[in-house]
Amino acid sequence: MGLNLKTGFSLRLASSSITRAKLLKDAGFEFIQESVDFDEESIISTCPKNFVFQATMGKYNANLKTFGIDDYPLLVADTVVTSQDKILRKAKNKDDAKKILLTQSGSITSIITCMIYHSKEQKIVDISQTDYIFDTFDEDELQRYLDSDEWRGKAGACMVEGFCKKYIKDVRGFESTAMGLNVDLLKVFL
């Protein structure tokens, strides 16, 4: 992974996600974090992989147009959560978050992340999935999590590194994928 010698940064993370930034930092990547928004509400799809691909492409195109790849390679990602054949979007309020989380309680929840890395030398497009089998959520702990507002801005109101962690019975796939960025794959290519 070549650093930009003028700045020391190796890529532009086009995401406002604190979790994605932490994943990159913990994996040893040097980066700047800035992005332009894309309206995901315009996407109409009932297929989770199709939805997350369209959302990532929308973000990619918006950020490529604004920033390009000449100064820094561009990294864009989006994540969708699905359980019981439903796409579980970001909760609009606490009641919505509770409904979304109860869908996952005692069920298999799939977290699908699509990422696009684009530099002058290469372009990587990946869709990865991590499946979690959750135990039934404790009602009191669920209420404390809802009251904490930590679920805000999270796809499916799900935090596998937080609230949901103790309820994981089994997992298939990378935790980083579930947290919003497949850094395990990124490290292989970069």
Side-chain angles (χ1 to χ4, degrees), residues 59-121:
K59 290 178 178 183
Y60 167 75
N61 288 327
N63 283 278
L64 182 65
K65 183 178 177 183
T66 300
F67 301 116
I69 59 168
D70 289 335
D71 294 333
Y72 310 104
L74 186 63
L75 178 62
V76 180
D78 196 68
T79 301
V80 70
V81 176
T82 181
S83 186
Q84 298 185 32
D85 297 323
K86 297 176 186 159
I87 295 175
L88 305 176
R89 306 282 302 273
K90 293 176 184 172
K92 294 173 178 52
N93 54 47
K94 195 183 288 188
D95 289 338
D96 193 29
K98 184 174 185 176
K99 182 177 130 192
I100 288 169
L101 287 161
L102 288 175
T103 301
Q104 299 170 67
S105 180
S107 297
I108 297 173
T109 297
S110 299
I111 303 176
I112 305 164
T113 294
C114 179
M115 72 175 181
I116 299 173
Y117 171 86
H118 189 182
S119 71
K120 292 177 188 174
E121 295 81 29

Side-chain angles (χ1 to χ4, degrees), residues 13-77:
L13 173 61
S15 169
S16 59
S17 168
I18 295 166
T19 305
R20 286 189 184 108
K22 182 176 179 351
L23 284 168
L24 283 178
K25 184 178 178 190
D26 290 351
F29 287 95
E30 297 288 331
F31 63 95
I32 59 170
Q33 185 175 14
E34 60 185 345
S35 66
V36 294
D37 290 331
F38 169 74
D39 180 18
E40 293 179 23
E41 297 302 318
S42 63
I43 299 171
I44 300 170
S45 178
T46 57
C47 173
K49 286 185 179 177
N50 182 277
F51 178 90
V52 77
F53 178 74
Q54 286 186 50
T56 305
M57 283 303 296
K59 290 178 178 183
Y60 167 75
N61 288 327
N63 283 278
L64 182 65
K65 183 178 177 183
T66 300
F67 301 116
I69 59 168
D70 289 335
D71 294 333
Y72 310 104
L74 186 63
L75 178 62
V76 180

